[in-house]
Amino acid sequence: CSNLGYSIKHHCEEENQRMRSIAVLMCSILASSLMSVALILTNATPVRAIVADIVVGPAGCGDVGYVTDGVADQVQIQAAVDAAVDGDIIALCAGRYEYDGDVDWESDASISLTIRGAGVGETILDGNDDWNIFAVHASSLLLTIQEMTLTNGFGGWGSAILIFDDGDPSSLLVEDVAVLNNDNDDHEGALVVENGSISIVNSYFEGNQAETYGGAAYASDSIAVSGSTFVNNTAGEYGGALYAYSMMISDSTFTENYADDEGGAIFSQGDAEIESSRFIENSARGWAGAISLANDGESGISSISGSVFQGNHSEKGGAVDSWNDRLLLDRNTFTRNYATVYGGAITRSGRTFRSDIASNNRFSLNRSRRGLDVALYYRDGFSRIEAQRDTKNWIRTRANVRVVAW
């Protein structure tokens, strides 16, 4: 513009200024767009890095340890387990792992091992109705199974996971796992720890079956459950869903589980602590449609609090049967439970017991075929039953029981 006349020069400078303004505006728009993209990327769900000592799955799904050539089956899982040492994490990438044999191992050493999938429905271990998914002969084992689906396992016992040994007790932790349609033809159900305990966290169990005890899980010592759901699990004898010496259950749901003898949902041989849980339409052919508390020792104490029992049924004790030395009931609701003989909601039987306390519970529309003993049935002993909200029920007792109405 410097060599042009004034008017033309002036016009040219104005045009340059306009172009500079346009450039600044375009830069601002571009910068804003880049910031928006960066913000979106920052807030997007990150791709979870695989943190593990050994990785199993298609080539490229992990960059450490044992990586397969793209075939997902139990052979690769077995190779990973065989290579693992104490403290290892085995990561199973997404895929359906078809079984043509058990994944099994034996250890005399005290070890800890974690096997972690890519998520329920993402990593699927399928026993093809023919194999145990994991079978472990070990003592002092701490085995953690996380974020996967275990399905179609089959065996004499422990069709999904079996841990057995007569040495020091072992522990199994199952977290964020779905356990579906596992079956056996002889003994206990889907998860079995023959010498030790089981912890279950945020998991889902459906359609598992045991010939004897614990369709979903059996432990010789204790079972602890939180935030989990059990649907349509069955046992040929005791504990349609769970069987153990002692129980701790919180914030969990049990629906349509069945036992052919006692404890449609739960059978506890010892003490139990159950809170903030729901028992819906569970059943047993004999005693205790939902919960059987079978401890007849000298000092057994069990408690049930803040829980709902609805539509459970059995021959005796539509919802609960307790042989414990002492039973504590607080803030529970018992509705439409049914017994064909007596104790539409609860039976309390088996031996002389000491000072139960039942406070602030609600009983509504529970019944028995005989029309007697509809809400609570006490066979012998003495108790204190306080502040019950009793609607269309009878509370029938025998011996030295004091009833205080709401």
Side-chain angles (χ1 to χ4, degrees):
C1 290
S2 59
N3 296 323
L4 301 176
Y6 172 77
S7 61
I8 297 175
K9 179 179 179 181
H10 181 70
H11 175 73
C12 184
E13 288 176 348
E14 287 180 343
E15 185 67 17
N16 285 342
Q17 182 62 36
R18 188 174 71 85
M19 294 300 293
R20 282 195 294 271
S21 298
I22 292 172
V24 170
L25 179 61
M26 293 298 293
C27 287
S28 298
I29 292 172
L30 179 60
S32 178
S33 298
L34 291 173
M35 290 180 64
S36 297
V37 171
L39 184 61
I40 291 171
L41 291 175
T42 300
N43 292 331
T45 301
V47 176
R48 192 177 75 175
I50 296 175
V51 179
D53 301 287
I54 302 172
V55 177
V56 177
C61 79
D63 56 2
V64 295
Y66 182 87
V67 181
T68 79
D69 58 2
V71 177
D73 59 22
Q74 96 286 348
V75 175
Q76 279 69 39
I77 300 174
Q78 182 71 65
V81 166
D82 291 343
V85 297
D86 182 31
D88 272 359
I89 298 174
I90 298 173
L92 305 182
C93 298
R96 191 176 196 94
Y97 295 76
E98 300 283 351
Y99 273 53
D100 190 25
D102 299 330
V103 172
D104 55 18
W105 70 95
E106 184 172 348
S107 175
D108 294 327
S110 175
I111 66 169
S112 171
L113 180 64
T114 297
I115 303 176
R116 179 182 300 147
V120 170
E122 297 294 326
T123 298
I124 302 169
L125 276 54
D126 187 340
N128 278 319
D129 297 316
D130 209 18
W131 305 99
N132 291 86
I133 295 174
F134 293 108
V136 189
H137 186 191
S139 61
S140 299
L141 170 69
L142 174 56
L143 177 62
T144 299
I145 305 294
Q146 296 174 320
E147 301 180 48
M148 67 181 70
T149 297
L150 308 177
T151 189
N152 299 328
F154 182 84
W157 53 347
S159 49
I161 302 173
L162 169 63
I163 301 175
F164 64 101
D165 191 84
D166 56 3
D168 294 329
S170 292
S171 297
L172 171 65
L173 168 61
V174 173
E175 183 176 18
D176 298 317
V177 171
V179 182
L180 310 175
N181 302 320
N182 299 283
D183 195 2
N184 74 70
D185 61 357
D186 198 0
H187 293 295
E188 298 89 1
L191 310 182
V192 172
V193 177
E194 272 295 307
N195 181 23
S197 60
I198 299 174
S199 296
I200 297 169
V201 180
N202 296 331
S203 293
Y204 182 85
F205 292 74
E206 183 173 4
N208 302 288
Q209 187 270 337
E211 283 293 301
T212 54
Y213 310 144
Y218 167 96
S220 64
D221 292 344
S222 66
I223 293 179
V225 179
S226 63
S228 297
T229 299
F230 299 81
V231 178
N232 194 30
N233 302 283
T234 63
E237 296 183 28
Y238 303 145
L242 304 177
Y243 182 109
Y245 184 78
S246 63
M247 297 274 182
M248 292 185 65
I249 311 292
S250 65
D251 193 28
S252 295
T253 300
F254 296 79
T255 304
E256 295 183 348
N257 301 284
Y258 172 77
D260 205 39
D261 197 339
E262 293 186 33
I266 291 172
F267 186 96
S268 178
Q269 257 189 320
D271 298 342
E273 182 177 334
I274 297 164
E275 62 180 20
S276 303
S277 294
R278 295 150 297 282
F279 296 84
I280 311 298
E281 296 184 357
N282 303 282
S283 61
R285 192 166 68 171
W287 296 75
I291 300 175
S292 180
L293 303 171
N295 186 347
D296 61 353
E298 291 300 317
S299 59
I301 300 175
S302 287
S303 65
I304 304 173
S305 62
S307 295
V308 173
F309 296 82
Q310 180 177 321
N312 304 284
H313 62 92
S314 67
E315 183 181 75
K316 301 166 187 174
V320 176
D321 175 63
S322 173
W323 289 45
N324 286 80
D325 190 54
R326 190 176 185 191
L327 177 63
L328 310 178
L329 300 172
D330 182 47
R331 297 173 291 106
N332 302 293
T333 298
F334 294 85
T335 304
R336 298 184 184 278
N337 300 287
Y338 173 66
T340 58
V341 179
Y342 51 72
I346 300 170
T347 56
R348 189 71 169 88
S349 57
R351 63 187 303 275
T352 300
F353 43 84
R354 303 175 300 153
S355 60
D356 288 4
I357 297 178
S359 59
N360 300 304
N361 300 285
R362 179 167 184 165
F363 295 89
S364 177
L365 301 176
N366 303 284
R367 61 195 175 93
S368 69
R369 188 175 64 184
R370 284 165 139 188
L372 298 174
D373 317 315
V374 175
L376 297 172
Y377 177 83
Y378 279 79
R379 180 172 175 179
D380 53 32
F382 59 94
S383 182
R384 186 168 81 253
I385 303 173
E386 296 180 341
Q388 310 310 308
R389 191 182 294 275
D390 181 29
T391 306
K392 295 186 179 180
N393 290 275
W394 293 355
I395 295 178
R396 177 184 169 97
T397 62
R398 289 165 53 179
N400 303 315
V401 179
R402 179 164 60 93
V403 178
V404 182
W406 179 269

